Amino acid sequence: MLDLAIFWEWLALGVRWLHIITAIAWIGSSFYFVALDLGLRQAPNLPAGAHGEEWQVHGGGFYHIRKYLVAPAEMPEHLTWFKWESYATWLSGFALLCVVYYAGAGLFLIDKTVLDISPLQGIGISLVSIFLGWLLYDFLCKSPLGENDWLLLVLLYCFMIAMAWGYVQVFSGRAALLHLGVVTATIMSANVFAIIIPNQKIVVADLIAGKKPDPKYGKIAKQRSLHNNYLTLPVLFFMLSNHYPLAFGTEYNWIIASLIFPIGALIRHYFNSVHARKGEPHWTWAVSAILFIIIIWLSANPKVLSGEQAAVFSPKLVEVAEFAAAKDVVMGRCSMCHTAEPAWEGIYHAPKGVMLDEDHRIAAHAREIYLQSGRSHAMPPGNVTDITSEERKAIVAW
């Protein structure tokens, strides 16, 4: 009979794998087209309506690419639409959010030391905030303020800072940064779904009907594409941050998150400038490095880790007879790292903020202990504490 915990663990891995695959496809195509668009060259023999061209070599062949700002004189029979990569990335990411953070809300989403709410309330706040984030962003872009690109940029940055601060007032540190990434990814995917693709379809329909397309549709789509370009690197950081307690589990986690946006924008500016043949602004790397050093400093001053779920556990897990043997294993093989002041050489903070030095803390992480040390050999890493097969059986029995 298949163990439900094992099935759920593999489901999470499968969905995560799918999410990574689709994200690579989406981000890869996005990076390619940004570089292509910025690298277009003017040529005297371009067809009417052509904005620029580029010659490229790859895979043993040569590619001759031309871009039309509106469309060529005659529409081709076949057009390749780059949209499914974006949709699949968001859908698989939302599925992963459900599998990990909603199904495990008591452990990963809610931190009762931050805000004492039920898992259902936390899930509700999560869903509302994700879609409210898109609606507020879209409102700002469509408002008169959106006509000024620099003013809009400042307002959007302030908006993301406010979101970061708000999330750490509600969720665990891990979930807070993850949700900031979800909101950012939702904005990016919704830009494709609700703005960029519909505007392109309007232009195509007008051309097929023999009408002259309104240039405003291209202008709007380009603005949203530019936003997606500069949001790509921050969203990748937030999706990885849940593996690093110093990113999500310190007192200034929302400030750390806020600094990630300018770092990502600076790095994208460097590559955009290079692709557009406008020089190599190396200063962007220097500023990014300084900001990253500030992030490191913030993560250690003061050393306050949050996100522990000490209050979320079943008392029965401590009361059962098998707990005593399992506790001896955990205290002897795991707690030298999973404690407030780890004694293991080179470990300075409890990995992922998980502490296993008291009864209620061990019980709160029973599922993870069972999966990673009982039913698999994932922990201890490389079996560095020499846990025996009999000790693993004791964990399973518990």
Side-chain angles (χ1 to χ4, degrees), residues 223-298:
Q223 182 189 59
R224 301 301 181 98
S225 294
L226 183 64
H227 293 171
N228 282 8
N229 176 29
Y230 281 98
L231 289 175
T232 302
L233 296 184
V235 80
L236 287 176
F237 177 91
F238 295 131
M239 294 309 177
L240 293 173
S241 67
N242 63 97
H243 298 285
Y244 296 91
L246 288 179
F248 67 76
T250 53
E251 184 176 3
Y252 300 115
N253 48 11
W254 69 275
I255 301 179
I256 290 173
S258 301
L259 292 176
I260 291 301
F261 286 103
I263 290 177
L266 286 167
I267 295 173
R268 285 307 304 158
H269 177 69
Y270 172 82
F271 285 105
N272 290 344
S273 299
V274 171
H275 293 147
R277 303 180 183 90
K278 294 182 178 179
E280 299 183 13
H282 296 293
W283 62 266
T284 58
W285 292 100
V287 176
S288 297
I290 293 171
L291 292 177
F292 201 74
I293 291 172
I294 293 174
I295 285 175
I296 295 172
W297 178 81
L298 287 171

Side-chain angles (χ1 to χ4, degrees), residues 60-142:
F62 295 88
Y63 297 83
H64 185 199
I65 305 164
R66 289 171 176 168
K67 178 180 179 178
Y68 294 81
L69 290 179
V70 180
E74 294 183 5
M75 288 294 296
E77 295 182 2
H78 173 72
L79 280 175
T80 300
W81 294 82
F82 289 86
K83 56 183 180 178
W84 298 111
E85 300 91 339
S86 169
Y87 304 161
T89 298
W90 190 90
L91 290 171
S92 60
F94 184 75
L96 188 60
L97 180 68
C98 294
V99 170
V100 177
Y101 284 85
Y102 291 172
L107 181 62
F108 295 115
L109 184 66
I110 305 302
D111 182 350
K112 291 186 179 295
T113 64
V114 174
L115 186 64
D116 191 358
I117 56 177
S118 69
L120 189 59
Q121 289 174 320
I123 294 170
I125 293 173
S126 169
L127 290 170
V128 171
S129 67
I130 290 170
F131 292 102
L132 184 62
W134 154 252
L135 292 175
L136 290 175
Y137 161 82
D138 189 53
F139 171 78
L140 286 174
C141 291
K142 291 178 178 178

Side-chain angles (χ1 to χ4, degrees), residues 244-246 249-250 296 299-305 336-344 346-355:
Y244 296 91
L246 288 179
T250 53
I296 295 172
S299 72
N301 290 276
K303 297 178 180 178
V304 180
L305 293 178
M336 64 281 295
C337 292
H338 290 283
T339 187
E341 296 182 6
W344 195 268
I347 302 295
Y348 305 104
H349 302 277
K352 295 190 175 181
V354 175
M355 299 189 191

Side-chain angles (χ1 to χ4, degrees), residues 34-51:
V34 168
L36 175 63
D37 190 59
L38 293 172
L40 292 172
R41 297 174 179 269
Q42 302 295 321
N45 59 341
L46 287 175
H51 172 67

Side-chain angles (χ1 to χ4, degrees), residues 82-217:
F82 289 86
K83 56 183 180 178
W84 298 111
E85 300 91 339
S86 169
Y87 304 161
T89 298
W90 190 90
L91 290 171
S92 60
F94 184 75
L96 188 60
L97 180 68
C98 294
V99 170
V100 177
Y101 284 85
Y102 291 172
L107 181 62
F108 295 115
L109 184 66
I110 305 302
D111 182 350
K112 291 186 179 295
T113 64
V114 174
L115 186 64
D116 191 358
I117 56 177
S118 69
L120 189 59
Q121 289 174 320
I123 294 170
I125 293 173
S126 169
L127 290 170
V128 171
S129 67
I130 290 170
F131 292 102
L132 184 62
W134 154 252
L135 292 175
L136 290 175
Y137 161 82
D138 189 53
F139 171 78
L140 286 174
C141 291
K142 291 178 178 178
S143 72
L145 299 173
E147 296 296 324
N148 187 319
D149 287 337
W150 283 106
L151 177 59
L152 179 61
L153 178 65
V154 172
L155 290 174
L156 291 178
Y157 182 50
C158 292
F159 166 66
M160 298 310 293
I161 293 176
M163 291 289 289
W165 180 86
Y167 273 134
V168 301
Q169 310 307 311
V170 178
F171 298 135
S172 69
R174 175 186 279 109
L177 263 65
L178 189 281
H179 271 75
L180 192 60
V182 173
V183 170
T184 306
T186 299
I187 287 172
M188 294 171 64
S189 191
N191 274 341
V192 177
F193 177 77
I195 304 296
I196 298 173
I197 294 299
N199 283 13
Q200 290 178 337
K201 287 185 175 181
I202 290 173
V203 171
V204 171
D206 284 345
L207 289 168
I208 293 175
K211 302 177 182 178
K212 183 178 180 180
D214 191 330
K216 73 175 184 180
Y217 295 111

